[in-house]
Amino acid sequence: MDRIVINGGHSLSGKVATGGSKNAALPLLFASLLANGTHRFNNVPKLMDIDSTAILLEHLDCTMHREGDQVTVETRTCAEPFAPYDIVRKMRASILCLGPLLARYGEARVSLPGGCAIGTRPINLHVEALGQLGAEMEVEGGYVHAWANHGLTGNTIVFENATVGGTENLLLAATLARGTTILENAAKEPEIVDLADYLRAMGARIEGDGSSVIHIEGVDQLQPAEHTVIPDRIEAGTLLLAGAISGGDVTVTQCVPGHLDALLKRLSDCGFELETGPDWMRIMPRSEWGAVDISTEPYPGFPTDLQAQFMALMTLAQGTSVITERIFENRFMHVQELARMGANITPKTQVAIVRGDSGALSGAPVMATDLRASASLVLAGLAAENETVVNRIYHLDRGYERLEEKLKTLGAQIERRSESEHPVS
Ligand code: UD1
């Protein structure tokens, strides 16, 4: 298994480009289940989660082909709308095949995804909402079996919590339902808008995406189309934070700064000077920065997917920061590992108190526990004295394309090594 070795303490500088968004690309690929023919997606990141999606789509009789960052999905009528446990367990977003399969074939059997390191992550809101479109459901043997013998029918659905995946599954299903569906308390993330844009290009009738109320007028049929995936706002934010924590001067290009308003505001509250253009943002060097509190919220609030990376920055801030995690119940797994590097953090149930004044971080062997926790350990390693070894980086590879290479172009002393090259001491 690979690990990342970082020799910290070097300021980063230069320009680095963001890739396509993982969380936008996944639902887009599942949208291709809605119409036979060739779907074309540009700016698709090369990541393990995209490979897992390819395996699932191939199981559902599609063929996925990649050339550079362009992916084509050739969709054929699916003989058996069935998503097995062995594929679904590798990636929770596999549940996004439920809506399109049900809408198109009137039936689907999809494995329940199970829990993951950051919490139980149920799919009750997806299932209940599909039930409101007329689907009947049965959960048996770890699978959800859903069917709608006479097709799905539009309805008004009020989500109890704004759920990103739930909103996407319902958007996908309602495009082919009879009549009008209204989604209330829908998620407003940019990835939802990107999905709606592609569905519209396919012939769907959708209005209101990006707000909390989405109207979908069902159509009889959709056609394949072409689409460019939006830039990954979480990767862009992570790269900007890498600049911040290293006291560097970093410009992140090919991004949408407007998708990161909450992060930019917080960085500016810390005392960082920032510049932004239509598709770039720059952070100026600072040797000291203030502590600020953050609380994760659905978009446009502070993203939970940047909480761990921001915490790494706060371990070196002047003063105390209170970090509240409101989206997931167990997303402080990075705290223990940051503590091994000398950070002073007191975790409570949903709150972590980070005392930045406790001095420098020192390099240590650490263990990545989930995707964003891995990124926070890499950031801490950039700022720490001496060598940090981040183990179990397969989590990082699920969501970041060549992060170490991108950081290297900014001057970081960072390398990927296989376990045999760098045994655990
Ligand atoms: C997506 C993102 C993930 C991000 C998260 C929140 C993808 C592939 N993943 O995950 O990176 O961290 O949004 O921004 O896009 N919930 C329920 N029942 C449900 C569904 C969700 O209780 O049926 C709860 C979850 O446990 C969580 C909250 O609602 O506490 C938000 O989850 P949700 O927005 O659905 O996250 P995902 O779509 O899984």
Side-chain angles (χ1 to χ4, degrees):
M1 202 181 297
D2 287 354
R3 52 190 49 169
I4 280 182
V5 181
I6 307 158
N7 227 306
H10 304 277
S11 293
L12 305 189
S13 74
K15 284 188 184 173
V16 62
T18 316
S21 160
K22 165 179 91 74
N23 287 354
L26 297 175
L28 287 166
L29 292 170
F30 287 111
S32 60
L33 289 169
L34 290 167
N36 282 3
T38 310
H39 302 252
R40 282 200 173 77
F41 303 105
N42 306 308
N43 203 27
V44 180
K46 234 176 163 208
L47 299 169
M48 259 160 60
D49 276 5
I50 303 286
D51 297 343
S52 303
T53 307
I55 294 170
L56 179 51
L57 289 177
E58 273 162 25
H59 187 85
L60 297 168
D61 299 322
C62 305
T63 316
M64 194 165 130
H65 176 75
R66 176 188 280 276
E67 222 173 294
D69 72 357
Q70 189 183 70
V71 164
T72 51
V73 181
E74 189 67 47
T75 304
R76 284 177 290 272
T77 304
C78 168
E80 195 193 4
F82 170 61
Y85 175 68
D86 261 358
I87 304 178
V88 173
R89 75 186 164 85
K90 293 196 181 121
M91 189 191 56
R92 279 189 48 81
S94 306
I95 194 65
L96 294 177
C97 70
L98 182 61
L101 289 176
L102 187 56
R104 181 129 186 248
Y105 301 104
E107 187 182 7
R109 214 151 67 83
V110 178
S111 168
L112 293 168
C116 70
I118 62 173
T120 51
R121 299 185 80 176
I123 55 154
N124 59 313
L125 301 174
H126 303 227
V127 168
E128 280 162 24
L130 289 170
Q132 287 177 271
L133 295 189
E136 299 194 57
M137 312 268 181
E138 210 174 64
V139 175
E140 211 193 333
Y143 282 80
V144 49
H145 181 200
W147 67 97
N149 293 339
H150 305 291
L152 298 173
T153 310
N155 200 350
T156 297
I157 290 155
V158 184
F159 284 110
E160 194 183 308
N161 292 326
T163 152
V164 175
T167 303
E168 289 164 348
N169 234 338
L170 266 288
L171 259 181
L172 289 161
T175 51
L176 290 178
R178 243 187 333 269
T180 308
T181 299
I182 301 174
L183 304 179
E184 292 186 12
N185 195 22
K188 298 184 270 196
E189 271 67 3
E191 294 76 17
I192 306 274
V193 177
D194 207 38
L195 173 62
D197 280 341
Y198 184 59
L199 292 171
R200 274 188 288 265
M202 290 177 74
R205 294 175 59 194
I206 302 169
E207 278 176 17
D209 45 294
S211 79
S212 57
V213 182
I214 305 179
H215 286 248
I216 307 134
E217 196 64 50
V219 296
D220 292 338
Q221 222 183 351
L222 298 165
Q223 308 85 44
E226 180 164 354
H227 184 77
T228 298
V229 180
I230 53 168
D232 195 311
R233 62 194 168 101
I234 304 303
E235 185 197 18
T238 303
L239 291 167
L240 198 70
L241 284 163
I245 200 167
S246 73
D249 182 349
V250 168
T251 302
V252 182
T253 61
Q254 293 179 35
C255 62
V256 183
H259 289 170
L260 283 163
D261 282 346
L263 172 69
L264 297 177
K265 163 89 175 59
R266 281 297 175 238
L267 284 171
S268 148
D269 293 345
C270 292
F272 285 98
E273 234 183 284
L274 297 145
E275 282 178 3
T276 57
D279 62 353
W280 58 269
M281 47 195 190
R282 176 179 179 195
I283 190 149
M284 312 292 181
R286 261 197 101 80
S287 53
E288 287 182 355
W289 51 88
V292 299
D293 299 342
I294 58 159
S295 177
T296 64
E297 306 280 353
Y299 188 82
F302 194 96
T304 174
D305 286 351
L306 284 172
Q307 177 259 108
Q309 301 88 315
F310 196 83
M311 187 184 291
L313 181 71
M314 288 300 96
T315 63
L316 293 170
Q318 309 270 298
T320 297
S321 161
V322 178
I323 295 187
T324 309
E325 174 55 57
R326 289 191 194 279
I327 308 290
F328 292 109
E329 80 260 31
N330 188 18
R331 211 172 198 182
F332 285 141
M333 310 273 283
H334 42 286
V335 166
Q336 289 311 318
E337 299 302 303
L338 289 171
R340 302 192 65 252
M341 299 176 73
N344 181 348
I345 309 171
T346 312
K348 312 246 179 203
T349 318
Q350 274 196 301
V351 173
I353 297 155
V354 187
R355 292 185 179 83
D357 295 322
S358 54
L361 295 176
S362 59
V366 288
M367 196 71 90
T369 49
D370 68 66
L371 169 52
R372 307 304 170 184
S374 321
S376 92
L377 297 174
V378 170
L379 296 193
L382 292 174
E385 288 164 356
N386 304 321
E387 188 178 270
T388 297
V389 181
V390 184
N391 296 290
R392 276 210 210 151
I393 57 157
Y394 60 86
H395 289 293
L396 196 71
D397 292 337
R398 278 190 38 231
Y400 289 91
E401 186 176 351
R402 300 178 293 107
L403 182 64
E404 75 284 2
E405 283 178 35
K406 290 192 178 187
L407 293 171
K408 214 173 190 165
T409 63
L410 296 172
Q413 294 196 5
I414 181 167
E415 263 178 43
R416 177 183 291 255
R417 292 198 197 146
S418 67
E419 203 156 318
S420 53
E421 284 175 82
H422 200 286
V424 186
S425 44

